[in-house]
Amino acid sequence: MTGKLPAVLGRIVLPFLSLSLGACNLELMNPKGAVGAQEKDLILIALGLMLLVVIPVIVLTLVFAWRYREKNTKANYAPKWSHSTAIEVVVWSIPVVIVATLGVLIWKTTHSLDPYRPLESEVEPVKVEVVSLDWKWLFIYPDYGVATVNQLPVPVGTPINFRLTSGSNMNSFFIPQLGSQIYTMAGMQTKLHLIADEAGTYAGRSASFSGPGFSDMHFKAVAMPRERFDAWIKQAKTVPAVLDKATYQTLARPSAKAPVATYSHVTPGLFDSIVHSAMTGSMPDMTHMPEMAHHGAGDMPEMARHDAGHMPAGSVSQRNN
């Protein structure tokens, strides 16, 4: 009988594990940026601490069930047993230690991985304004005056300062290998700071269901050396398409599987105008965009810093700015 239990468990557990792991996406466990790496460490530490309880409970449950089965006459029979100080100490002390450790860990990482916290770097950040639409992503590079749809080129080793909003439904911006996800909402703006430490193409997606085109609402974040990024900016400025009022109104119409697009010129203040348009219920008024760009985000309603729904983003260390 001793050899039969592992065999039975193997026939039940192994197919389940194979099926589960086969469907897993391990992008979170393969970070390519400092923020993602810190979040990976946090996940593994929290998982390890919780397994200190889960694994012994599972093992002891199986052991007790096997040892005290009806046919095992060698097991002690103690119908009047009701208390053990040693067991009470173990049962209560271990969870208390784990909860206290997790509490301290979460308190520290909640601050160090604040998505609004700029990344410390000697390299000047690249600003990107993100607008979620039905069902596509619009990325505006305000310092360069160019924009893209469903593709996010970024330089390696350079902090990316995101400002995010939505031109329609509430959505969620997420690049798993770079770390964090944060919501986008019409009439509000959120912030996120990420960095790519390795060149590559990383999957970006919507992490919040927003309608029938949600499943195809994804993009590619392309991290490239700075020289190649500068060359891409130069090439983007030669593209004939521009992002003006008519183009944006067409782009904002619901459509699924939108192709990658690049715009060589973006009307200044478009992002802020999109934020304001949700308050007035009208499409962006392009005539006031330059003034709005001058005043910047300070005039815009801003989402509460600590959105309970977002995963933490982080930084290498804090920078005051």
Side-chain angles (χ1 to χ4, degrees):
M1 294 295 290
T2 305
K4 291 183 178 180
L5 180 61
V8 172
L9 291 176
R11 285 197 294 270
I12 298 175
V13 174
L14 289 180
F16 174 76
L17 289 177
S18 299
L19 181 62
S20 301
L21 293 175
C24 282
N25 188 333
L26 299 179
E27 288 182 346
L28 281 175
M29 296 296 105
N30 185 27
K32 299 298 181 183
V35 176
Q38 292 181 68
E39 292 179 352
K40 173 190 172 184
D41 293 342
L42 175 61
I43 292 172
L44 292 179
I45 292 173
L47 178 64
L49 288 172
M50 289 185 286
L51 288 180
L52 291 177
V53 171
V54 173
I55 291 178
V57 168
I58 293 175
V59 171
L60 290 176
T61 299
L62 297 175
V63 169
F64 288 156
W66 181 253
R67 179 173 176 78
Y68 296 104
R69 67 191 185 279
E70 183 180 5
K71 295 181 179 179
N72 184 15
T73 58
K74 297 180 180 179
N76 292 333
Y77 178 65
K80 295 183 180 180
W81 180 89
S82 61
H83 179 75
S84 170
T85 301
I87 293 178
E88 291 285 346
V89 170
V90 172
V91 167
W92 287 104
S93 62
I94 293 178
V96 168
V97 171
I98 291 175
V99 170
T101 304
L102 283 175
V104 173
L105 182 66
I106 291 172
W107 186 88
K108 292 181 63 177
T109 52
T110 297
H111 292 82
S112 64
L113 296 177
D114 185 343
Y116 281 66
R117 193 173 186 172
L119 303 180
E120 177 67 27
S121 176
E122 296 180 355
V123 181
E124 186 71 18
V126 169
K127 298 177 183 176
V128 178
E129 296 169 341
V130 182
V131 183
S132 63
L133 299 170
D134 290 334
W135 288 271
K136 58 193 82 73
W137 293 96
L138 171 63
F139 303 106
I140 302 171
Y141 297 74
D143 291 340
Y144 303 101
V146 301
T148 62
V149 172
N150 286 343
Q151 182 166 285
L152 176 64
V154 295
V156 171
T158 302
I160 311 299
N161 294 357
F162 292 101
R163 295 172 62 206
L164 308 96
T165 191
S166 173
S168 57
N169 297 325
M170 179 176 174
N171 228 297
S172 182
F173 177 83
F174 191 23
I175 308 174
Q177 287 186 277
L178 300 187
S180 298
Q181 67 93 13
I182 195 163
Y183 287 118
T184 63
M185 288 175 280
M188 299 184 182
Q189 61 168 305
T190 49
K191 295 180 182 179
L192 180 64
H193 299 85
L194 298 176
I195 188 171
D197 292 331
E198 297 181 25
T201 300
Y202 309 121
R205 63 198 61 179
S206 168
S208 178
F209 180 73
S210 57
F214 158 77
S215 60
D216 293 307
M217 190 176 175
H218 42 70
F219 63 93
K220 293 181 178 179
V222 184
M224 58 187 74
R226 184 71 200 207
E227 298 77 14
R228 187 177 157 197
F229 177 77
D230 292 338
W232 174 79
I233 290 291
K234 185 179 296 185
Q235 190 274 333
K237 288 181 177 293
T238 65
V239 173
V242 298
L243 188 59
D244 54 15
K245 180 178 181 180
T247 305
Y248 176 77
Q249 290 181 340
T250 301
L251 184 65
R253 295 171 185 164
S255 64
K257 299 182 179 180
V260 172
T262 303
Y263 301 97
S264 59
H265 175 74
V266 180
T267 303
L270 175 61
F271 178 87
D272 295 329
S273 179
I274 294 171
V275 176
H276 270 305
S277 68
M279 307 296 290
T280 61
S282 61
M283 296 299 290
D285 182 358
M286 312 294 277
T287 59
H288 300 296
M289 284 186 175
E291 291 83 355
M292 296 169 68
H294 175 73
H295 290 298
D299 295 333
M300 304 300 164
E302 187 168 314
M303 176 185 175
R305 283 172 56 83
H306 299 289
D307 177 7
H310 68 243
M311 287 179 62
S315 61
V316 178
S317 60
Q318 185 178 16
R319 181 185 63 186
N320 296 324
N321 66 352

